[in-house]
Amino acid sequence: MSPEIEALTQALARLPGLGPRSARRAVLHLLKKRETALEPLLAALAAVADRLTHCSICGNVDTGDPCGVCADPRRDTRALCVVEEVADLWALDRTRLFPGRFHVLGGRLSALDGVRPEDLSIDALVRRIEAGGVDEVVLAMNATLEGQTTAHYIADRIARFPVRVTQLAHGLPVGGELDYLDEGTLAQALRARRPVA
């Protein structure tokens, strides 16, 4: 393999879900199908790389600011779903069951990893709620110890506002992460939201 093809293989192998063997197979496919696979992929990557940005409202990753979710006039501005990561937003939005807007924290509280409240966009979330117009905040944290700790911390921070605070209900496995769940499980969890105790 030439150094360039080896570098491409190594770059692909660093992507989640791809190891060295899968990366080699992907590179071989791209090289065989240069016009129908490689060149369109390169064009798409270049277009995204040039325009990629974080939404200044919710923290989503998109090619425009505000993102497509925040710019959609059909979204219910009174419902706000708080998620840990962009992948969680995308997973929940794929269900097409949540009509509201989102807020991406950029992680979850973790004493072991040194992630503190000021490391997340919790203050921005509080400002969005404080500005008014939000009736319900759905805490869609992963069903992990850190996720639930983050949910309780946020519930305490926004308790002074006249909003209904709910969280995703059963259907999410303990220790599960939203991005890896199927739409049916996510749909059930969204439908069965319950108040935070």
Side-chain angles (χ1 to χ4, degrees):
M1 253 192 277
S2 72
E4 296 84 3
I5 293 174
E6 180 62 31
L8 175 60
T9 303
Q10 290 177 4
L12 287 176
R14 287 191 293 270
L15 293 174
L18 288 180
R21 294 169 98 190
S22 298
R24 279 193 297 275
R25 282 195 299 273
V27 167
L28 283 172
H29 174 76
L30 290 170
L31 296 177
K32 277 186 190 177
K33 308 280 186 177
R34 182 177 182 152
E35 278 114 30
T36 59
L38 179 61
E39 290 173 6
L41 176 63
L42 290 173
L45 286 170
V48 168
D50 289 342
R51 300 183 59 209
L52 192 64
T53 186
H54 281 87
C55 179
S56 58
I57 298 170
C58 74
N60 189 13
V61 177
D62 206 338
T63 55
D65 186 14
C67 70
V69 174
C70 290
D72 187 348
R74 297 168 297 179
R75 293 278 180 165
D76 183 358
T77 58
R78 296 168 296 148
L80 186 62
C81 184
V82 182
V83 295
E84 293 175 19
E85 301 288 353
V86 171
D88 303 329
L89 184 158
W90 291 0
L92 287 168
D93 202 41
R94 276 194 313 264
T95 69
R96 301 191 189 284
L97 291 172
F98 184 71
R101 305 272 170 104
F102 290 90
H103 185 88
V104 180
L105 295 174
R108 59 184 166 232
L109 297 175
S110 174
L112 290 175
D113 297 327
V115 180
R116 302 162 301 164
E118 52 270 20
D119 298 324
L120 305 176
S121 66
I122 295 174
D123 288 340
L125 170 65
V126 172
R127 286 192 298 273
R128 284 181 79 180
I129 296 167
E130 195 171 36
V134 175
D135 295 335
E136 180 185 10
V137 175
V138 180
L139 300 176
M141 309 296 110
N142 287 313
T144 61
L145 178 61
E146 293 88 357
Q148 295 310 299
T149 300
T150 305
H152 287 293
Y153 178 83
I154 292 171
D156 287 345
R157 283 281 309 267
I158 63 176
R160 61 189 167 107
F161 299 108
V163 295
R164 185 172 148 230
V165 180
T166 59
Q167 66 183 22
L168 295 184
H170 296 100
L172 297 178
V174 174
E177 294 194 6
L178 296 178
D179 190 39
Y180 296 105
L181 300 176
D182 65 292
E183 280 86 0
T185 301
L186 287 170
Q188 177 59 30
L190 272 171
R191 284 190 197 102
R193 296 190 307 269
R194 59 185 171 84
V196 176

